[in-house]
Amino acid sequence: MVQVAVMGAGSWGTTVAKVCADAGSDVTLWARRDDIAREINGGKDGNGGRHTNSTYLREVELPQTLTATTDPARALKGAEIVFLGVPSQAMRDNLAAWRDLIGPDATLVSLTKGIEHSSRRRMSQVIAEVADVPEERVAVLSGPNLAYEIARNQPAATVVACTDDARAVAVQEATAAPYFRPYTNDDVIGCEIAGACKNVIALACGMGAGMGLGHNSIATLITRGLAEITRLTVAMGGSERTMAGLAGLGDLVATCNSPLSRNRTFGERLGRGETLDQARESTRGQVAEGVISSISIAEIAEEAGVDMPITDAVVDVCHRGGSVADAVRSLLGRTRKAE
């Protein structure tokens, strides 16, 4: 049995904690809010002592062996694997507050798919820098992993990417629940670039769906989106092969098609004519990760000399006041060429 800490009790953090508990790990989940921690521990009034996180996972019952706390020191004490499930733009500040509590040989696993806006760094780079650990101690979990489905024990697979094979295998074993199949990979760059970029393509697919475009249009966006993600991945030193796997195509298809995807649904609201502020209000004040990451991804692509027209169109809509209709017209009006 391995001791696991999951830092962040949102939908994905709570789901990963459940997966690890169901895989036989000893799990402590850190929650920012006391009411969420109490409910996860079975202490919410009126729920009959059931272990739930209704704020993020509705009625899903959590393992009784899963313990939640608002004390980061308690969550991190003795943890051999630390999953970091806070938003990308909050990762640096949170980790700076926790780093002295993390064990000297613990493996740090990023659950966050995004790019830090201020530095344009991938999450594994931010983690290694802030925690002052070598990059081989940092792993990434990525794949077609919609939290609510996995929390309900629906079968899914994922990728554990780490340059240290032994650590990748340790995380693989810690997350190998009966309904959750983890594969290992050493392409951290590819998995992270794909994980960040697919959110932007999902926004574009949502916009198209909101405009009433059909399956052909969405399939075209997904396919051409994969092409531009692959170009950037290779330019950044990642593997083209990763793009054909779970962390690439698998995650992209799930995020672009599912109503459970925040990026897809946020884009759909924009496609229906809502402003960015209106879409934010309708999603309880939350902004989809792809909105935040799109600028950084576009800037990285420009520096690398990589053409990413769908990403540029999303940036135009979300940050430059462009219309969804104009963005679609610009994509269709591009110069014709061989695929």
Side-chain angles (χ1 to χ4, degrees):
M1 179 184 294
V2 64
Q3 192 161 340
V4 169
V6 180
M7 308 301 287
S11 56
W12 187 221
T14 304
T15 297
V16 170
K18 177 184 183 297
V19 165
C20 290
D22 287 341
S25 300
D26 182 8
V27 187
T28 304
L29 174 62
W30 174 80
R32 181 175 55 85
R33 290 165 45 186
D34 181 67
D35 60 320
I36 289 179
R38 285 190 297 105
E39 182 183 348
I40 291 170
N41 291 330
K44 181 181 178 182
D45 294 338
N47 76 341
R50 295 173 68 240
H51 296 251
T52 55
N53 183 352
S54 58
T55 301
Y56 293 101
L57 291 177
R58 289 175 270 180
E59 78 289 351
V60 173
E61 189 151 6
L62 303 171
Q64 294 192 10
T65 55
L66 171 58
T67 302
T69 180
T70 56
D71 181 1
R74 179 182 168 194
L76 291 165
K77 185 177 180 180
E80 300 161 77
I81 300 175
V82 178
F83 291 91
L84 299 166
V86 295
S88 61
Q89 308 312 312
M91 180 69 78
R92 182 177 293 274
D93 289 344
N94 277 288
L95 188 54
W98 300 333
R99 62 186 169 196
D100 293 337
L101 304 173
I102 297 171
D105 193 46
T107 299
L108 308 180
V109 186
S110 172
L111 302 179
T112 305
K113 297 174 180 177
I115 301 291
E116 186 179 50
H117 183 63
S118 59
S119 68
R120 302 207 296 267
R121 287 177 172 262
R122 293 176 283 109
M123 288 298 99
S124 67
Q125 294 175 307
V126 173
I127 292 167
E129 176 191 336
V130 177
D132 193 21
V133 301
E135 290 192 358
E136 56 264 29
R137 272 184 60 187
V138 183
V140 172
L141 193 74
S142 189
N145 299 152
L146 296 163
Y148 185 62
E149 292 183 358
I150 295 170
R152 296 180 65 197
N153 297 357
Q154 293 187 13
T158 197
V159 171
V160 178
C162 186
T163 56
D164 184 326
D165 184 63
R167 291 184 186 273
V169 170
V171 176
Q172 180 185 45
E173 292 176 350
T175 54
Y179 50 88
F180 197 65
R181 182 176 177 83
Y183 292 81
T184 60
N185 191 324
D186 62 0
D187 184 18
V188 174
I189 294 173
C191 288
E192 286 194 289
I193 293 295
C197 291
K198 58 93 182 183
N199 288 327
V200 181
I201 306 304
L203 280 169
C205 289
M207 292 177 195
M211 289 179 63
L213 301 183
H215 297 298
N216 290 334
S217 303
I218 303 305
T220 299
L221 284 170
I222 292 173
T223 306
R224 297 312 303 164
L226 180 63
E228 65 180 64
I229 294 171
T230 301
R231 289 194 294 268
L232 183 61
T233 295
V234 173
M236 298 302 293
S239 171
E240 184 175 355
R241 182 179 179 182
T242 300
M243 298 304 100
L246 291 165
L249 180 61
D251 198 7
L252 181 65
V253 169
T255 308
C256 289
N257 282 311
S258 175
L260 295 174
S261 162
R262 184 186 302 169
N263 289 278
R264 156 77 186 219
T265 54
F266 198 95
E268 195 166 350
R269 292 183 182 281
L270 296 177
R272 291 173 182 164
E274 293 186 18
T275 65
L276 206 64
D277 287 338
Q278 288 171 332
R280 183 186 293 112
E281 288 174 7
S282 63
T283 53
R284 297 183 298 180
Q286 296 177 320
V287 176
E289 183 71 63
V291 174
I292 302 167
S293 294
S294 60
I295 291 182
S296 299
I297 292 168
E299 290 172 347
I300 292 170
E302 184 176 8
E303 287 181 3
V306 175
D307 185 29
M308 299 188 73
I310 299 175
T311 299
D312 290 339
V314 169
V315 170
D316 190 58
V317 171
C318 292
H319 301 285
R320 298 174 187 150
S323 74
V324 173
D326 286 344
V328 171
R329 277 194 292 269
S330 72
L331 290 171
L332 292 176
R334 285 172 52 82
T335 302
R336 292 182 290 274
K337 59 183 181 179
E339 186 180 35

